[in-house]
PDB file of all heavy atoms in Angstrom:
ATOM      1  N   GLU B   1       0.813  -1.181   0.025  1.00 74.00           N
ATOM      2  CA  GLU B   1       0.064  -0.074  -0.075  1.00 74.00           C
ATOM      3  C   GLU B   1       0.834   1.158   0.050  1.00 74.00           C
ATOM      4  O   GLU B   1       1.800   1.344   0.915  1.00 74.00           O
ATOM      5  CB  GLU B   1      -0.980   0.048   1.180  1.00 74.00           C
ATOM      6  CG  GLU B   1      -1.885  -1.173   1.313  1.00 74.00           C
ATOM      7  CD  GLU B   1      -3.045  -1.142   0.382  1.00 74.00           C
ATOM      8  OE1 GLU B   1      -3.172   0.052  -0.267  1.00 74.00           O
ATOM      9  OE2 GLU B   1      -3.664  -2.117   0.157  1.00 74.00           O
ATOM     10  N   LEU B   2       0.775   2.067  -0.824  1.00 68.00           N
ATOM     11  CA  LEU B   2       1.433   3.318  -1.013  1.00 68.00           C
ATOM     12  C   LEU B   2       0.579   4.596  -1.017  1.00 68.00           C
ATOM     13  O   LEU B   2      -0.459   4.430  -1.803  1.00 68.00           O
ATOM     14  CB  LEU B   2       2.300   3.303  -2.405  1.00 68.00           C
ATOM     15  CG  LEU B   2       3.302   2.193  -2.534  1.00 68.00           C
ATOM     16  CD1 LEU B   2       4.068   2.232  -3.973  1.00 68.00           C
ATOM     17  CD2 LEU B   2       4.424   2.266  -1.422  1.00 68.00           C
ATOM     18  N   ASP B   3       0.825   5.484  -0.292  1.00 73.00           N
ATOM     19  CA  ASP B   3       0.141   6.773  -0.165  1.00 73.00           C
ATOM     20  C   ASP B   3       0.895   7.919  -0.572  1.00 73.00           C
ATOM     21  O   ASP B   3       1.984   8.084  -0.079  1.00 73.00           O
ATOM     22  CB  ASP B   3      -0.460   7.055   1.187  1.00 73.00           C
ATOM     23  CG  ASP B   3      -1.610   5.932   1.519  1.00 73.00           C
ATOM     24  OD1 ASP B   3      -2.313   5.596   0.675  1.00 73.00           O
ATOM     25  OD2 ASP B   3      -1.503   5.573   2.752  1.00 73.00           O
ATOM     26  N   PHE B   4       0.458   8.720  -1.513  1.00 67.00           N
ATOM     27  CA  PHE B   4       1.309   9.889  -2.075  1.00 67.00           C
ATOM     28  C   PHE B   4       0.394  11.097  -1.673  1.00 67.00           C
ATOM     29  O   PHE B   4      -0.857  11.201  -1.933  1.00 67.00           O
ATOM     30  CB  PHE B   4       1.332   9.795  -3.659  1.00 67.00           C
ATOM     31  CG  PHE B   4       2.173   8.712  -4.055  1.00 67.00           C
ATOM     32  CD1 PHE B   4       1.662   7.457  -4.300  1.00 67.00           C
ATOM     33  CD2 PHE B   4       3.670   8.875  -4.221  1.00 67.00           C
ATOM     34  CE1 PHE B   4       2.452   6.314  -4.731  1.00 67.00           C
ATOM     35  CE2 PHE B   4       4.384   7.806  -4.663  1.00 67.00           C
ATOM     36  CZ  PHE B   4       3.749   6.673  -4.885  1.00 67.00           C
ATOM     37  N   ALA B   5       1.138  11.994  -1.022  1.00 70.00           N
ATOM     38  CA  ALA B   5       0.548  13.269  -0.601  1.00 70.00           C
ATOM     39  C   ALA B   5      -0.002  14.113  -1.846  1.00 70.00           C
ATOM     40  O   ALA B   5       0.411  14.018  -2.948  1.00 70.00           O
ATOM     41  CB  ALA B   5       1.481  14.025   0.403  1.00 70.00           C
ATOM     42  N   GLN B   6      -0.866  15.093  -1.498  1.00 67.00           N
ATOM     43  CA  GLN B   6      -1.476  15.997  -2.527  1.00 67.00           C
ATOM     44  C   GLN B   6      -0.288  16.821  -2.964  1.00 67.00           C
ATOM     45  O   GLN B   6       0.602  17.327  -2.363  1.00 67.00           O
ATOM     46  CB  GLN B   6      -2.415  16.913  -1.856  1.00 67.00           C
ATOM     47  CG  GLN B   6      -3.050  17.915  -2.774  1.00 67.00           C
ATOM     48  CD  GLN B   6      -4.144  18.723  -2.081  1.00 67.00           C
ATOM     49  OE1 GLN B   6      -4.435  18.535  -0.991  1.00 67.00           O
ATOM     50  NE2 GLN B   6      -4.691  19.681  -2.800  1.00 67.00           N
ATOM     51  N   THR B   7      -0.305  16.938  -4.395  1.00 60.00           N
ATOM     52  CA  THR B   7       0.745  17.837  -5.005  1.00 60.00           C
ATOM     53  C   THR B   7       0.340  19.229  -5.060  1.00 60.00           C
ATOM     54  O   THR B   7      -0.863  19.458  -5.197  1.00 60.00           O
ATOM     55  CB  THR B   7       0.946  17.242  -6.513  1.00 60.00           C
ATOM     56  OG1 THR B   7      -0.317  17.307  -7.212  1.00 60.00           O
ATOM     57  CG2 THR B   7       1.462  15.846  -6.552  1.00 60.00           C
ATOM     58  N   THR B   8       1.290  20.096  -5.009  1.00 59.00           N
ATOM     59  CA  THR B   8       0.821  21.491  -4.922  1.00 59.00           C
ATOM     60  C   THR B   8       1.063  22.093  -6.352  1.00 59.00           C
ATOM     61  O   THR B   8       2.019  21.742  -7.139  1.00 59.00           O
ATOM     62  CB  THR B   8       1.726  22.298  -4.040  1.00 59.00           C
ATOM     63  OG1 THR B   8       3.209  22.125  -4.314  1.00 59.00           O
ATOM     64  CG2 THR B   8       1.543  21.727  -2.577  1.00 59.00           C
ATOM     65  N   ALA B   9       0.367  23.166  -6.688  1.00 52.00           N
ATOM     66  CA  ALA B   9       0.265  23.831  -7.904  1.00 52.00           C
ATOM     67  C   ALA B   9       1.307  24.786  -7.843  1.00 52.00           C
ATOM     68  O   ALA B   9       1.049  26.057  -8.001  1.00 52.00           O
ATOM     69  CB  ALA B   9      -1.053  24.343  -8.330  1.00 52.00           C
ATOM     70  N   GLY B  10       2.543  24.551  -7.707  1.00 53.00           N
ATOM     71  CA  GLY B  10       3.628  25.562  -7.756  1.00 53.00           C
ATOM     72  C   GLY B  10       4.064  25.941  -9.053  1.00 53.00           C
ATOM     73  O   GLY B  10       3.568  25.389 -10.122  1.00 53.00           O
ATOM     74  N   ALA B  11       5.066  26.775  -9.102  1.00 50.00           N
ATOM     75  CA  ALA B  11       5.614  27.169 -10.395  1.00 50.00           C
ATOM     76  C   ALA B  11       6.384  25.957 -10.980  1.00 50.00           C
ATOM     77  O   ALA B  11       6.980  25.189 -10.286  1.00 50.00           O
ATOM     78  CB  ALA B  11       6.495  28.358 -10.261  1.00 50.00           C
ATOM     79  N   PRO B  12       6.476  25.944 -12.355  1.00 53.00           N
ATOM     80  CA  PRO B  12       7.168  24.833 -13.026  1.00 53.00           C
ATOM     81  C   PRO B  12       8.683  24.793 -12.541  1.00 53.00           C
ATOM     82  O   PRO B  12       9.373  25.818 -12.357  1.00 53.00           O
ATOM     83  CB  PRO B  12       7.104  25.141 -14.545  1.00 53.00           C
ATOM     84  CG  PRO B  12       6.001  26.094 -14.645  1.00 53.00           C
ATOM     85  CD  PRO B  12       5.923  26.772 -13.360  1.00 53.00           C
ATOM     86  N   GLU B  13       9.244  23.545 -12.315  1.00 55.00           N
ATOM     87  CA  GLU B  13      10.469  23.436 -11.856  1.00 55.00           C
ATOM     88  C   GLU B  13      11.493  23.951 -12.982  1.00 55.00           C
ATOM     89  O   GLU B  13      11.293  23.728 -14.054  1.00 55.00           O
ATOM     90  CB  GLU B  13      10.856  22.051 -11.415  1.00 55.00           C
ATOM     91  CG  GLU B  13      10.061  21.617 -10.228  1.00 55.00           C
ATOM     92  CD  GLU B  13      10.341  20.002  -9.840  1.00 55.00           C
ATOM     93  OE1 GLU B  13      11.160  19.461 -10.645  1.00 55.00           O
ATOM     94  OE2 GLU B  13       9.686  19.474  -9.041  1.00 55.00           O
ATOM     95  N   PRO B  14      12.646  24.534 -12.528  1.00 59.00           N
ATOM     96  CA  PRO B  14      13.675  24.954 -13.612  1.00 59.00           C
ATOM     97  C   PRO B  14      14.283  23.735 -14.185  1.00 59.00           C
ATOM     98  O   PRO B  14      14.468  22.663 -13.590  1.00 59.00           O
ATOM     99  CB  PRO B  14      14.624  25.741 -12.885  1.00 59.00           C
ATOM    100  CG  PRO B  14      14.492  25.360 -11.373  1.00 59.00           C
ATOM    101  CD  PRO B  14      13.072  24.931 -11.248  1.00 59.00           C
ATOM    102  N   PRO B  15      14.740  23.747 -15.515  1.00 60.00           N
ATOM    103  CA  PRO B  15      15.353  22.699 -16.075  1.00 60.00           C
ATOM    104  C   PRO B  15      16.638  22.257 -15.323  1.00 60.00           C
ATOM    105  O   PRO B  15      17.300  23.260 -14.851  1.00 60.00           O
ATOM    106  CB  PRO B  15      15.621  23.136 -17.523  1.00 60.00           C
ATOM    107  CG  PRO B  15      15.509  24.656 -17.444  1.00 60.00           C
ATOM    108  CD  PRO B  15      14.629  24.993 -16.299  1.00 60.00           C
ATOM    109  N   PRO B  16      16.836  20.953 -15.315  1.00 65.00           N
ATOM    110  CA  PRO B  16      18.192  20.643 -14.614  1.00 65.00           C
ATOM    111  C   PRO B  16      19.494  21.166 -15.337  1.00 65.00           C
ATOM    112  O   PRO B  16      19.448  21.149 -16.522  1.00 65.00           O
ATOM    113  CB  PRO B  16      18.118  19.214 -14.475  1.00 65.00           C
ATOM    114  CG  PRO B  16      17.202  18.793 -15.706  1.00 65.00           C
ATOM    115  CD  PRO B  16      16.288  19.869 -15.954  1.00 65.00           C
ATOM    116  N   GLU B  17      20.540  21.318 -14.549  1.00 74.00           N
ATOM    117  CA  GLU B  17      21.877  21.636 -15.300  1.00 74.00           C
ATOM    118  C   GLU B  17      22.354  20.330 -15.816  1.00 74.00           C
ATOM    119  O   GLU B  17      22.229  19.344 -15.389  1.00 74.00           O
ATOM    120  CB  GLU B  17      22.637  22.305 -14.271  1.00 74.00           C
ATOM    121  CG  GLU B  17      22.311  23.735 -13.924  1.00 74.00           C
ATOM    122  CD  GLU B  17      23.461  24.439 -12.983  1.00 74.00           C
ATOM    123  OE1 GLU B  17      24.076  23.512 -12.288  1.00 74.00           O
ATOM    124  OE2 GLU B  17      23.485  25.506 -12.949  1.00 74.00           O
ATOM    125  N   ILE B  18      23.139  20.581 -16.996  1.00 85.00           N
ATOM    126  CA  ILE B  18      23.743  19.558 -17.637  1.00 85.00           C
ATOM    127  C   ILE B  18      25.288  19.898 -17.613  1.00 85.00           C
ATOM    128  O   ILE B  18      25.621  21.118 -17.781  1.00 85.00           O
ATOM    129  CB  ILE B  18      23.404  19.379 -19.128  1.00 85.00           C
ATOM    130  CG1 ILE B  18      21.868  18.995 -19.092  1.00 85.00           C
ATOM    131  CG2 ILE B  18      24.128  18.292 -19.798  1.00 85.00           C
ATOM    132  CD1 ILE B  18      21.208  19.031 -20.456  1.00 85.00           C
ATOM    133  N   PHE B  19      26.139  18.833 -17.361  1.00 92.00           N
ATOM    134  CA  PHE B  19      27.578  19.153 -17.422  1.00 92.00           C
ATOM    135  C   PHE B  19      28.134  18.758 -18.747  1.00 92.00           C
ATOM    136  O   PHE B  19      27.827  17.669 -19.379  1.00 92.00           O
ATOM    137  CB  PHE B  19      28.206  18.195 -16.390  1.00 92.00           C
ATOM    138  CG  PHE B  19      27.949  18.664 -14.908  1.00 92.00           C
ATOM    139  CD1 PHE B  19      26.988  17.995 -14.231  1.00 92.00           C
ATOM    140  CD2 PHE B  19      28.615  19.824 -14.349  1.00 92.00           C
ATOM    141  CE1 PHE B  19      26.659  18.418 -12.934  1.00 92.00           C
ATOM    142  CE2 PHE B  19      28.331  20.211 -13.115  1.00 92.00           C
ATOM    143  CZ  PHE B  19      27.300  19.618 -12.389  1.00 92.00           C
ATOM    144  N   VAL B  20      28.827  19.721 -19.401  1.00 92.00           N
ATOM    145  CA  VAL B  20      29.326  19.550 -20.773  1.00 92.00           C
ATOM    146  C   VAL B  20      30.322  18.399 -20.749  1.00 92.00           C
ATOM    147  O   VAL B  20      31.174  18.206 -20.005  1.00 92.00           O
ATOM    148  CB  VAL B  20      30.141  20.898 -21.144  1.00 92.00           C
ATOM    149  CG1 VAL B  20      30.677  20.737 -22.496  1.00 92.00           C
ATOM    150  CG2 VAL B  20      29.248  22.141 -21.113  1.00 92.00           C
ATOM    151  N   PRO B  21      30.000  17.486 -21.772  1.00 92.00           N
ATOM    152  CA  PRO B  21      30.899  16.393 -21.837  1.00 92.00           C
ATOM    153  C   PRO B  21      32.306  16.705 -22.672  1.00 92.00           C
ATOM    154  O   PRO B  21      32.348  17.708 -23.284  1.00 92.00           O
ATOM    155  CB  PRO B  21      30.202  15.400 -22.582  1.00 92.00           C
ATOM    156  CG  PRO B  21      29.256  16.234 -23.485  1.00 92.00           C
ATOM    157  CD  PRO B  21      28.980  17.404 -22.733  1.00 92.00           C
ATOM    158  N   SER B  22      33.326  15.943 -22.414  1.00 93.00           N
ATOM    159  CA  SER B  22      34.556  16.057 -23.209  1.00 93.00           C
ATOM    160  C   SER B  22      34.305  15.538 -24.572  1.00 93.00           C
ATOM    161  O   SER B  22      33.942  14.371 -24.751  1.00 93.00           O
ATOM    162  CB  SER B  22      35.645  15.338 -22.494  1.00 93.00           C
ATOM    163  OG  SER B  22      36.844  15.441 -23.265  1.00 93.00           O
ATOM    164  N   LEU B  23      34.597  16.360 -25.590  1.00 94.00           N
ATOM    165  CA  LEU B  23      34.356  15.994 -26.992  1.00 94.00           C
ATOM    166  C   LEU B  23      35.649  15.968 -27.675  1.00 94.00           C
ATOM    167  O   LEU B  23      35.763  15.781 -28.961  1.00 94.00           O
ATOM    168  CB  LEU B  23      33.509  17.000 -27.629  1.00 94.00           C
ATOM    169  CG  LEU B  23      32.032  17.248 -26.987  1.00 94.00           C
ATOM    170  CD1 LEU B  23      31.433  18.367 -27.590  1.00 94.00           C
ATOM    171  CD2 LEU B  23      31.304  15.977 -27.049  1.00 94.00           C
ATOM    172  N   TYR B  24      36.824  16.203 -27.059  1.00 92.00           N
ATOM    173  CA  TYR B  24      38.076  16.273 -27.706  1.00 92.00           C
ATOM    174  C   TYR B  24      38.429  14.855 -28.559  1.00 92.00           C
ATOM    175  O   TYR B  24      38.118  13.757 -28.072  1.00 92.00           O
ATOM    176  CB  TYR B  24      39.270  16.389 -26.667  1.00 92.00           C
ATOM    177  CG  TYR B  24      40.644  16.500 -27.304  1.00 92.00           C
ATOM    178  CD1 TYR B  24      41.123  17.541 -27.851  1.00 92.00           C
ATOM    179  CD2 TYR B  24      41.456  15.170 -27.321  1.00 92.00           C
ATOM    180  CE1 TYR B  24      42.446  17.546 -28.470  1.00 92.00           C
ATOM    181  CE2 TYR B  24      42.689  15.226 -27.812  1.00 92.00           C
ATOM    182  CZ  TYR B  24      43.192  16.446 -28.458  1.00 92.00           C
ATOM    183  OH  TYR B  24      44.439  16.377 -28.995  1.00 92.00           O
ATOM    184  N   GLY B  25      38.762  15.094 -29.774  1.00 90.00           N
ATOM    185  CA  GLY B  25      39.191  13.877 -30.740  1.00 90.00           C
ATOM    186  C   GLY B  25      38.024  13.381 -31.433  1.00 90.00           C
ATOM    187  O   GLY B  25      38.237  12.453 -32.244  1.00 90.00           O
ATOM    188  N   LEU B  26      36.843  13.707 -31.142  1.00 93.00           N
ATOM    189  CA  LEU B  26      35.594  13.249 -31.734  1.00 93.00           C
ATOM    190  C   LEU B  26      35.386  13.985 -33.217  1.00 93.00           C
ATOM    191  O   LEU B  26      35.795  15.109 -33.288  1.00 93.00           O
ATOM    192  CB  LEU B  26      34.379  13.440 -31.005  1.00 93.00           C
ATOM    193  CG  LEU B  26      34.278  12.700 -29.675  1.00 93.00           C
ATOM    194  CD1 LEU B  26      32.871  12.961 -29.018  1.00 93.00           C
ATOM    195  CD2 LEU B  26      34.514  11.231 -29.925  1.00 93.00           C
ATOM    196  N   THR B  27      34.853  13.234 -34.235  1.00 92.00           N
ATOM    197  CA  THR B  27      34.519  13.835 -35.462  1.00 92.00           C
ATOM    198  C   THR B  27      33.272  14.795 -35.191  1.00 92.00           C
ATOM    199  O   THR B  27      32.610  14.699 -34.094  1.00 92.00           O
ATOM    200  CB  THR B  27      34.250  12.782 -36.458  1.00 92.00           C
ATOM    201  OG1 THR B  27      33.067  11.980 -35.984  1.00 92.00           O
ATOM    202  CG2 THR B  27      35.306  11.850 -36.696  1.00 92.00           C
ATOM    203  N   GLU B  28      32.917  15.567 -36.174  1.00 93.00           N
ATOM    204  CA  GLU B  28      31.857  16.525 -35.940  1.00 93.00           C
ATOM    205  C   GLU B  28      30.509  15.702 -35.790  1.00 93.00           C
ATOM    206  O   GLU B  28      29.787  15.972 -34.826  1.00 93.00           O
ATOM    207  CB  GLU B  28      31.722  17.500 -37.206  1.00 93.00           C
ATOM    208  CG  GLU B  28      30.576  18.447 -36.874  1.00 93.00           C
ATOM    209  CD  GLU B  28      30.432  19.405 -38.159  1.00 93.00           C
ATOM    210  OE1 GLU B  28      31.386  19.426 -38.988  1.00 93.00           O
ATOM    211  OE2 GLU B  28      29.370  20.125 -38.303  1.00 93.00           O
ATOM    212  N   PRO B  29      30.174  14.710 -36.701  1.00 93.00           N
ATOM    213  CA  PRO B  29      28.985  14.031 -36.484  1.00 93.00           C
ATOM    214  C   PRO B  29      28.839  13.276 -35.107  1.00 93.00           C
ATOM    215  O   PRO B  29      27.827  13.356 -34.456  1.00 93.00           O
ATOM    216  CB  PRO B  29      28.989  12.935 -37.577  1.00 93.00           C
ATOM    217  CG  PRO B  29      29.832  13.411 -38.655  1.00 93.00           C
ATOM    218  CD  PRO B  29      30.947  14.291 -37.938  1.00 93.00           C
ATOM    219  N   ALA B  30      30.093  12.720 -34.679  1.00 92.00           N
ATOM    220  CA  ALA B  30      30.052  12.099 -33.330  1.00 92.00           C
ATOM    221  C   ALA B  30      29.816  13.008 -32.339  1.00 92.00           C
ATOM    222  O   ALA B  30      29.061  12.770 -31.248  1.00 92.00           O
ATOM    223  CB  ALA B  30      31.250  11.300 -33.120  1.00 92.00           C
ATOM    224  N   ALA B  31      30.356  14.120 -32.268  1.00 94.00           N
ATOM    225  CA  ALA B  31      30.262  15.162 -31.209  1.00 94.00           C
ATOM    226  C   ALA B  31      28.744  15.661 -31.248  1.00 94.00           C
ATOM    227  O   ALA B  31      28.186  15.798 -30.192  1.00 94.00           O
ATOM    228  CB  ALA B  31      31.215  16.399 -31.468  1.00 94.00           C
ATOM    229  N   ARG B  32      28.161  15.939 -32.427  1.00 93.00           N
ATOM    230  CA  ARG B  32      26.782  16.448 -32.485  1.00 93.00           C
ATOM    231  C   ARG B  32      25.721  15.299 -31.851  1.00 93.00           C
ATOM    232  O   ARG B  32      24.937  15.615 -31.256  1.00 93.00           O
ATOM    233  CB  ARG B  32      26.418  16.665 -33.943  1.00 93.00           C
ATOM    234  CG  ARG B  32      27.127  17.907 -34.541  1.00 93.00           C
ATOM    235  CD  ARG B  32      26.550  18.297 -35.846  1.00 93.00           C
ATOM    236  NE  ARG B  32      27.162  19.600 -36.343  1.00 93.00           N
ATOM    237  CZ  ARG B  32      26.596  20.802 -36.140  1.00 93.00           C
ATOM    238  NH1 ARG B  32      25.519  20.839 -35.415  1.00 93.00           N
ATOM    239  NH2 ARG B  32      27.182  21.936 -36.645  1.00 93.00           N
TER     240      ARG B  32
END
């Protein structure tokens, strides 16, 4: 049995940050 509390109508969550990957040595298609 699982109970989930009421969700609140808050503002949309900001998009998560992404960490830039290392692209050194890749061809352009592979990097894209």
Side-chain angles (χ1 to χ4, degrees):
E1 300 286 349
L2 301 176
D3 291 327
F4 296 87
Q6 179 178 357
T7 58
T8 58
E13 296 181 0
E17 288 184 332
I18 299 173
F19 292 96
V20 179
S22 174
L23 305 170
Y24 179 79
L26 296 181
T27 62
E28 180 182 350
R32 287 184 179 275

